[in-house]
Structure formats: C-alpha cells, structure tokens
Amino acid sequence: MKIKPKRKSIPLSPARLAFFTFLLVNVVLFIRPSELISALDGMELYEMLILGTLLFNIRNIQPQLRYRELRKQPIVLCAVGLIFAIILSHATHFYLGGDTEGATMFFKVLVYFILLISLITTPSRLKWFVMTVAFSASLMITFCVVDYLGMHDF
C-alpha cells in the first residue's frame, strides 16, 4: 500500500492575499464584469478590490512612502509629486472643479502604481502579473471580436 505524501499548506498571509486581490483588480480593470453582467450593474468592483488590496498591503506601503525611501526611488517621488503639480496647475487658473476632478483621478492612478511597485517584488510575482494581464487582455479582445461579428451583443 502506497501512502500519499501530504501536501504542504501555504499559509495565507496578508501579503499573499494582497497580491491575489491585486491580480483580481487587474482582471476587473480589463474585463469590466459590471458592464458585461447586468446583475453587477452599478457595483464598483474595481474600487472595492483596490481598497481591499490597499488594506491588506498597508504595512508594505507605509515604509515606501517615507521621505528617505522616496529619495532612493526618484520615479516614485515624481509620481507622488505629480498630484501637487495637477492641483497647482488648476489652481493657477482658478479652476477648482478641475482641481478636485484631476486630483481624484490621478490619486486612483497613484494608488494603483504604489500597489504595483509594492507587490511585484519577485520574478515569480512578475510572471503571475504578466500572465494575468495577458489572459485578461486576450479575454477582452475575444469579447470584442464576438461583439464585432454579431454573435453576441455586449
């Protein structure tokens, strides 16, 4: 009688959970299920997932936003500084509506960027991220072709 070896269970840490939800963020960003499935209409899936990812990954983000770390990574400092440039740009023209709208829109991009650099830290994670983006993009292109050919109206 052969005894099967037991599988080692991988503990589900907040960092692993954050990475998994970040992959889901990218799937939702590409596929937009709330536009495809009428029952999900009006649900802000992207915002809920990115907020969950942010909460799971807050410990890894905080050290990266300290001034000492920002000086080591000038691209992150530049990205953070852009939000102030957007605000100042609109403020010089007294366009306060644009100030709020521009800062809000860029803040979402900034959160995604900070999550990306804090979560994609190993070659394995980069591989999973690229595969997820490629799969999601391929699926979205398939939906577009199906819609174009008139097989189904999305």
Side-chain angles (χ1 to χ4, degrees):
M1 180 198 289
K2 243 182 176 177
I3 299 174
K4 290 183 181 179
K6 286 189 175 180
R7 284 182 149 182
K8 290 184 181 179
S9 64
I10 300 171
L12 195 59
S13 66
R16 287 179 195 264
L17 201 52
F19 180 67
F20 178 73
T21 55
F22 184 69
L23 293 180
L24 285 177
V25 163
N26 287 283
V27 170
V28 168
L29 189 62
F30 274 91
I31 296 176
R32 297 190 231 174
S34 59
E35 292 179 9
L36 298 174
I37 303 168
S38 59
L40 298 176
D41 192 28
M43 288 186 70
E44 303 295 338
L45 294 175
Y46 174 77
E47 284 85 1
M48 288 188 291
L49 283 170
I50 205 159
L51 183 62
T53 306
L54 191 62
L55 291 174
F56 290 134
N57 197 40
I58 198 74
R59 283 189 175 174
N60 294 333
I61 292 174
Q62 286 175 333
Q64 290 187 354
L65 294 179
R66 292 193 180 118
Y67 183 69
R68 178 181 236 166
E69 289 299 314
L70 287 174
R71 284 187 50 196
K72 291 179 186 176
Q73 298 179 352
I75 191 70
V76 180
L77 182 60
C78 178
V80 171
L82 275 175
I83 201 158
F84 298 110
I86 290 169
I87 292 169
L88 283 173
S89 172
H90 290 298
T92 58
H93 299 289
F94 300 105
Y95 182 43
L96 300 180
D99 237 2
T100 307
E101 183 181 338
T104 304
M105 288 175 61
F106 186 74
F107 183 73
K108 291 177 185 179
V109 173
L110 185 62
V111 168
Y112 180 88
F113 175 71
I114 289 171
L115 284 171
L116 177 74
I117 62 168
S118 68
L119 286 169
I120 309 299
T121 55
T122 64
S124 172
R125 284 188 173 191
L126 179 62
K127 178 181 145 188
W128 275 100
F129 173 71
V130 170
M131 286 184 350
T132 302
V133 169
F135 171 77
S136 301
S138 299
L139 191 59
M140 192 64 222
I141 291 168
T142 303
F143 289 155
C144 291
V145 170
V146 166
D147 187 44
Y148 176 76
L149 294 175
M151 300 164 117
H152 189 277
D153 185 26
F154 291 108

